[in-house]
Amino acid sequence: MTTVKTLLGLPGLRPHPSTREELLDRPVTRIYVTELPDPGRYLTAGELVLSGLLWWRAPGDAEAFVAALATGGAAALAASGADAGGIPEDLVDACARHGVALLEVPPDLSFAVVTERVVLALAAAADGARKRLLTAAAEDAPLSELLARAAGELGAACWVVSGVPRVVAGTAPLPVPAAVPVRQFAAARARPTAAGGLTVLPVEGRHPVPWLLAVDGPLSTAQTELAEELAGLVGLARARSRPAPAPLGGAVRAVALRTLDSDEAGDVLAELLATTEKPVTPTANRDPSVALALVADDGSWPAGWAADAVAALSTVEPLLRATRILAGVSDAVPTAESRGAFEVARHALSLAADRDGGVVVVPAADVGVHQLLLAGTSTDLRAALRRRLLGPLLDYDAEQHSDLVHTVRVFLECSGSPTRAAKALHIHVNTLRYRIGRAAELLGVDLADFVAQVDVYLALVSEP
């Protein structure tokens, strides 16, 4: 990283005696020559501003000029007083008040020479920064260390953010939620973009769920080139790092995820479960559109995980090829009972397919026990049981164009309460009692009997 202090090694440039030492540590990204009284609209952060002070006419003129430099994040002001009778006192005072480093350019040193020397110094620093980053990558430095070195070279904090989203690594706390840079990138149609105080670039790689490199603040051309180099190195680090399956003990949950019309399920599930920060063991599956995994549950599994998962998957969905993302999760069970947990997760996944929405996550609590029991029977067996128990009622409805089957189901789902069932069906309670009595006659059972209710209800919900 090139700083103001680095440039003081160039022949001719020297700090004004009023400049505080700590101001010389600011990074320099480029040089900008101007004689405008207010150059604010043309400034970018980190610039060394070079001026012959032709804009200065009288005391007081320096305030607006220096204020613009401070607001724009200029690294320093290099001024020549050759045409102004020396450095004006109000310029010295304004630089001290606004915290802008002031450098003096001798009268016999041309701006062309200064510009050339600064440009060459920046180019040499950029080459050196690339070499140092490449060296760190070649040494298999951890991602956190690679980012720390890059932040030093860029003079700005940086983060790697997964599209799910989550912060994979960073040199400081991310000032916005992780979803912000992902949405920013998606809105730009997967092109590098600068907005909201962050510059976001894609990390190279062929993973379905992208990683993004976010750098604090707008970047100069040289910084952007270095950031692109860093994005490539992060991509290599991601390709090399394949976390081994974690050994699980105690309680676990099974998660099943499907990506419709794509084979992205494995990567999506891995990134989604990484947000839980819990040990995960993926499970092999022949269908690339479905991924399965076990996740450790130490009792801290959030009650609203399904809603959180929908929010996370909805953030990454615009960056995927999948037309829908569906998921199901089981209850927590002992590891020895994980096979049953997978059955619950798979059934929750099948229920998700029947619901509306591009992203659907169904928790185990939404799966009824009777649904799990019926899921284990074949279609032919369910049809046979339905005909055996409900045959007379089905035939009656077909002949009389009535709907006693629906009436009985609502009655049972209202716990056998005539009042609640009548209200749900928008009929008089006496009408409801008549219909239930007629249905009981046809079925030859007592619909007030609990065992009969269970048998009839299972037959009602077992439609193939």
Side-chain angles (χ1 to χ4, degrees):
M1 179 177 65
T2 302
T3 63
V4 177
K5 186 179 293 184
T6 305
L7 297 180
L8 295 179
L10 302 178
L13 287 180
R14 58 179 180 266
H16 189 277
S18 65
T19 297
R20 302 194 305 273
E21 181 71 21
E22 66 268 18
L23 297 180
L24 302 179
D25 293 327
R26 291 181 174 173
V28 178
T29 58
R30 56 182 291 183
I31 189 167
Y32 171 53
V33 182
T34 184
E35 299 300 338
L36 294 173
D38 183 358
R41 71 178 66 181
Y42 303 108
L43 280 174
T44 58
E47 288 181 321
L48 173 67
V49 178
L50 189 60
S51 178
L53 307 184
L54 299 181
W55 49 266
W56 191 87
R57 292 288 183 268
D61 289 352
E63 176 61 26
F65 184 87
V66 176
L69 300 192
T71 302
L77 168 63
S80 171
D83 296 316
I87 304 294
E89 282 301 319
D90 69 326
L91 179 62
V92 174
D93 292 342
C95 286
R97 279 187 290 103
H98 288 283
V100 175
L102 177 60
L103 311 182
E104 294 183 87
V105 180
D108 59 346
L109 183 61
S110 74
F111 280 8
V113 172
V114 174
T115 300
E116 181 182 9
R117 289 173 177 173
V118 171
V119 169
L120 290 174
L122 291 174
D127 287 341
R130 288 191 185 90
K131 290 178 181 177
R132 288 188 289 274
L133 287 182
L134 287 170
T135 299
E139 294 172 350
D140 287 338
L143 185 56
S144 57
E145 182 179 335
L146 183 61
L147 289 183
R149 295 194 191 184
E153 303 291 352
L154 290 166
C158 47
W159 303 265
V160 173
V161 179
S162 166
V164 160
R166 66 184 176 96
V167 177
V168 180
T171 58
L174 188 65
V176 295
V180 171
V182 178
R183 293 190 180 114
Q184 176 180 323
F185 186 69
R189 297 190 178 181
R191 294 192 301 270
T193 174
L198 295 174
T199 297
V200 182
L201 306 91
V203 168
E204 295 181 11
R206 296 183 178 181
H207 297 270
V209 177
W211 279 9
L212 307 173
L213 174 65
V215 183
D216 191 22
L219 303 182
S220 66
T221 301
Q223 285 177 310
T224 300
E225 291 175 353
L226 185 58
E228 289 173 344
E229 188 85 31
L230 173 61
L233 296 177
V234 172
L236 291 175
R238 183 184 186 185
R240 287 197 299 262
S241 63
R242 293 184 177 180
L248 301 180
V252 295
R253 290 178 186 262
V255 182
L257 184 142
R258 179 188 297 275
T259 50
L260 268 64
D261 302 317
S262 81
D263 57 357
E264 301 163 309
D267 199 49
V268 173
L269 182 58
E271 289 294 320
L272 175 64
L273 295 182
T275 64
T276 67
E277 299 182 349
K278 298 179 184 297
V280 176
T281 296
T283 300
N285 191 58
R286 293 181 180 179
D287 183 355
S289 70
V290 177
L292 306 170
L294 284 177
V295 191
D297 184 358
D298 57 3
S300 61
W301 191 270
W305 184 82
D308 294 341
V310 169
L313 295 172
S314 297
T315 299
V316 75
E317 186 266 340
L319 300 175
L320 301 175
R321 292 182 288 107
T323 55
R324 296 185 76 197
I325 307 175
L326 311 173
V329 58
S330 76
D331 297 303
V333 300
T335 304
E337 299 176 14
S338 59
R339 180 175 295 181
F342 275 123
E343 290 299 321
V344 174
R346 286 191 181 97
H347 194 67
L349 181 62
S350 68
L351 292 181
D354 295 331
R355 298 185 179 181
D356 295 331
V359 176
V360 183
V361 178
V362 174
D366 288 4
V367 184
V369 173
H370 67 276
Q371 292 173 309
L372 294 173
L373 294 174
L374 291 171
T377 61
S378 67
T379 300
D380 291 339
L381 179 57
R382 291 202 302 273
L385 291 175
R386 182 178 174 84
R387 169 53 58 179
R388 172 184 171 186
L389 286 169
L390 302 180
L393 203 57
L394 295 172
D395 293 340
Y396 181 85
D397 276 353
E399 294 171 1
Q400 302 298 322
H401 304 289
S402 61
D403 200 6
L404 282 183
V405 170
H406 178 63
T407 300
V408 172
R409 179 163 182 168
V410 172
F411 173 71
L412 295 178
E413 288 177 345
C414 290
S415 303
S417 168
T419 303
R420 288 174 53 196
K423 186 175 180 179
L425 292 167
H426 305 289
I427 60 176
H428 194 275
V429 67
N430 289 337
T431 303
L432 185 282
R433 288 194 175 98
Y434 170 78
R435 291 183 181 178
I436 294 301
R438 181 63 177 139
E441 290 176 7
L442 291 167
L443 295 175
V445 299
D446 180 4
L447 287 177
D449 179 74
F450 175 73
V451 175
Q453 288 178 343
V454 171
D455 287 344
V456 171
Y457 187 72
L458 287 175
L460 286 167
V461 296
S462 65
E463 185 174 3

